[in-house]
Amino acid sequence: MEHRAVDQLQGVAEVTAQPLILSTRRARLERWAELLEQVPRRLFATLPEVELVPWPRRGTLRSDNSPLALAYADPLLRASGLSGDTYGEARRFFGLREGQVHRLLCSCVNGRHLRADLTARRLRGFASYRLERWTLGLAAGAATMPGLLFLFG
């Protein structure tokens, strides 16, 4: 087998790059945070008072200049399955719980605007949240087990 550079192969065969796919929740959240960190002082619009919107309509909330619009503009996130810039799509694609999306995007928590770097910091916290919480719960359970055995054993 002969090894050649990609530019050499283009003259011999049709070469297309396979798009990288972000398959894990953490990778998707990290990518979104990276995009926000590229413009750290940029201000984004929040979603107005999400908690007042009825559940059936809440998933369709969006804003033209939101952090979600920035994520949706990214070809890598779209290739990985991001299909829109709505509140509901953020929950689905990024694997966020209702409270997390609310804290991240709602005007009642953040005011009228979000700063990109602060939003990225929250996303990184969400990305590591599950593992840390599971580890903390396991440690707490292990620590209380001897006491429970003493009381009830």
Side-chain angles (χ1 to χ4, degrees), residues 74-125:
D74 181 53
L76 179 56
L77 288 173
R78 282 200 320 271
S80 299
L82 182 62
S83 63
D85 63 351
T86 64
Y87 185 90
E89 183 61 7
R91 287 194 65 204
R92 182 199 68 80
F93 180 74
F94 293 105
L96 298 172
R97 291 187 314 280
E98 176 69 25
Q100 289 175 318
V101 182
H102 183 258
R103 281 193 310 276
L104 187 68
L105 300 171
C106 188
S107 64
C108 75
V109 176
N110 301 293
R112 293 177 64 184
H113 296 93
L114 295 160
R115 217 171 73 197
D117 57 343
L118 299 176
T119 305
R121 189 177 318 148
R122 277 191 184 157
L123 286 171
R124 291 197 189 283

Side-chain angles (χ1 to χ4, degrees), residues 21-33 77 80-81 92-95:
I21 302 297
L22 302 172
S23 59
T24 66
R25 173 184 182 270
R26 184 180 191 114
R28 292 171 181 167
L29 289 169
E30 290 288 342
R31 174 64 179 176
W32 192 9
L77 288 173
S80 299
R92 182 199 68 80
F93 180 74
F94 293 105

Side-chain angles (χ1 to χ4, degrees), residues 27-82:
R28 292 171 181 167
L29 289 169
E30 290 288 342
R31 174 64 179 176
W32 192 9
E34 289 168 8
L35 294 171
L36 289 162
E37 288 169 341
Q38 291 174 5
V39 288
R41 298 285 181 210
R42 181 174 169 185
L43 294 177
F44 289 96
T46 56
L47 299 177
E49 300 177 353
V50 171
E51 68 278 0
L52 299 179
V53 177
W55 280 100
R57 287 196 13 234
R58 193 173 292 187
T60 64
L61 289 175
R62 61 168 305 280
S63 175
D64 287 337
N65 182 34
S66 73
L68 287 171
L70 178 73
Y72 186 61
D74 181 53
L76 179 56
L77 288 173
R78 282 200 320 271
S80 299
L82 182 62

